[in-house]
């Protein structure tokens, strides 16, 4: 095995260039990874539970009751983001005004 030695300034310069390349690739990936249409975004069971603020068992109950549409891919349950947004919107109740007699 050969060992190559370089000056510390050259190493720092190389490391900075690699970091800039890495950050550029990350930004490009993020730009492509955010589709504008929620019906094309699929999220996993854990993320859906987090967004809905429920347990994964509650999600299982919703699936069993037919209250949420889902897909199973590779043995994993997935939900469309638009479906989760629909569930969130369905849980919002209008605020009731307080009665004067309470």
């Amino acid at each position: 095995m050969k060992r190559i030695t370089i000056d510390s300034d050259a190493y720092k310069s190389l490391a900075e260039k690699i970091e800039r390349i890495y950050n550029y690739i990350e930004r490009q990936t993020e730009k492509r990874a955010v589709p504008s249409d929620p019906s094309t975004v699929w999220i996993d069971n854990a993320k859906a539970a987090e967004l809905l603020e429920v347990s994964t068992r509650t999600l299982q109950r919703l699936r069993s009751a037919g209250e949420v549409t889902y897909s199973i891919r590779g043995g994993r349950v997935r939900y469309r983001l638009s479906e989760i947004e629909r569930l969130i919107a369905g849980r919002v109740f209008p605020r009731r005004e307080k009665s004067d007699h309470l």
Side-chain angles (χ1 to χ4, degrees):
M1 175 188 233
K2 288 185 177 182
R3 293 185 184 203
I4 300 172
T5 58
I6 61 173
D7 182 59
S8 65
D9 290 337
Y11 174 78
K12 288 177 186 177
S13 176
L14 179 62
E16 288 173 2
K17 289 177 184 179
I18 291 171
E19 183 68 26
R20 282 196 305 266
I21 292 169
Y22 174 79
N23 290 333
Y24 174 79
I25 292 170
E26 283 291 309
R27 286 191 305 273
Q28 296 305 313
T29 303
E30 288 173 4
K31 286 179 185 178
R32 280 186 245 125
V34 182
S36 59
D37 185 6
S39 66
T40 63
V41 178
W42 290 87
I43 59 174
D44 65 10
N45 207 38
K47 184 66 176 175
E50 179 185 329
L51 290 171
L52 290 169
E53 297 178 352
V54 299
S55 68
T56 54
R57 176 66 179 119
T58 298
L59 274 176
Q60 185 179 356
R61 287 186 193 107
L62 291 170
R63 289 193 310 267
S64 297
E67 294 181 30
V68 61
T69 57
Y70 63 97
S71 176
I72 298 178
R73 297 181 196 174
R76 293 181 166 221
V77 180
R78 305 273 183 193
Y79 306 87
R80 281 193 171 125
L81 183 57
S82 59
E83 181 68 5
I84 300 305
E85 289 174 345
R86 181 189 66 81
L87 288 172
I88 291 170
R91 289 184 0 181
V92 176
F93 298 99
R95 181 177 172 199
R96 285 194 266 169
E97 297 298 322
K98 293 183 180 180
S99 299
D100 291 331
H101 65 284
L102 291 179

